[in-house]
Amino acid sequence: MKALWVADSDWDLPVTVRGERRDGGEPILISRGRPTPFDGAVLDPANPGVPYSEAVPAPFKEWPSLLYFPMTGCYDLTVEWAGGGWTATIPFVAPDEIPGFVYATPTG
C-alpha cells in the first residue's frame, strides 16, 4: 500500500513510524525507496523524501513510502516524536481474500 507521510514545513523533530498486527505481533514493513523494507522508519525533517528547499518553500515536508502488510488483520500503526505521538488501528484485507478480486497480468 502506498503511504505519504507529511509534516508542516516548520516541523523539526524526527518521527518514528512502526506498526504491527494486533493479535500476532507481525510487523508492518515500511520501505522508503530502499530495496529492502524494514519494520519501522524514521522520518528526518532535515532529509525529507521529496526535496525541500528554503528558497522555494512548500507548505509540507513529504516522505513517500510503501507499507507491506503480511496478511489480513487489524494493525496498530504508531507514530512517535519527542514529547508526543499517536496510534491508529488499520483494518487490512489481503487482495486475494476479496471476493471476486482478480490479479491483472500485463500483456505485450
Side-chain angles (χ1 to χ4, degrees):
M1 173 190 298
K2 289 183 179 182
L4 178 62
W5 308 102
V6 185
D8 187 272
S9 62
D10 294 332
W11 186 262
D12 62 356
L13 298 173
V15 175
T16 301
V17 179
R18 61 184 166 74
E20 66 182 23
R21 188 175 158 138
R22 296 189 94 187
D23 62 355
E26 295 94 348
I28 298 171
L29 298 180
I30 302 170
S31 174
R32 289 195 39 248
R34 298 181 192 114
T36 304
F38 294 93
D39 61 357
V42 175
L43 310 177
D44 179 2
N47 295 301
V50 174
Y52 179 82
S53 167
E54 292 294 333
V56 184
F60 301 105
K61 295 177 183 177
E62 301 177 1
W63 297 266
S65 67
L66 294 173
L67 304 181
Y68 297 90
F69 294 85
M71 64 186 68
T72 294
C74 286
Y75 292 81
D76 285 332
L77 183 67
T78 302
V79 178
E80 298 174 311
W81 58 89
W86 53 262
T87 298
T89 300
I90 301 171
F92 175 78
V93 178
D96 60 350
E97 294 184 23
I98 299 172
F101 181 85
V102 177
Y103 283 101
T105 55
T107 59

